[in-house]
Amino acid sequence: VPAGSEVSQESLLLHGPFARKPKRIRTAFSPSQLLRLERAFEKNHYVVGAERKQLASSLSLSETQVL
């Protein structure tokens, strides 16, 4: 193996074929946000489109956070 061409174990873990994606930061929802989100989920398990956008806006959340 030529000098300088060795791949460290750490490099394989970070960039190899089985590398994990960085963990997503969890959103800490307020009690009122949780209540609204739970009610929306009870009505419709798939909140999408304009309803999702409106719900996210009214809760000061991103659309990604309203799943």
Side-chain angles (χ1 to χ4, degrees), residues 13-62:
L13 291 172
L14 293 174
H15 307 291
F18 303 109
R20 291 185 179 176
K21 291 181 183 177
K23 284 194 173 183
R24 182 174 62 83
I25 296 172
R26 282 188 168 257
T27 302
F29 297 107
S30 70
S32 61
Q33 287 174 324
L34 278 175
L35 186 61
R36 295 264 316 270
L37 290 166
E38 288 169 352
R39 285 183 180 162
F41 182 76
E42 285 174 9
K43 290 179 187 174
N44 183 359
H45 286 239
Y46 299 98
V47 181
V48 294
E51 184 181 0
R52 180 175 171 176
K53 187 175 239 173
Q54 191 278 327
L55 182 60
S57 177
S58 71
L59 293 172
S60 300
L61 297 170
S62 70

Side-chain angles (χ1 to χ4, degrees), residues 6-22:
E6 293 181 17
V7 179
S8 73
Q9 192 68 21
E10 182 181 3
S11 180
L12 282 175
L13 291 172
L14 293 174
H15 307 291
F18 303 109
R20 291 185 179 176
K21 291 181 183 177

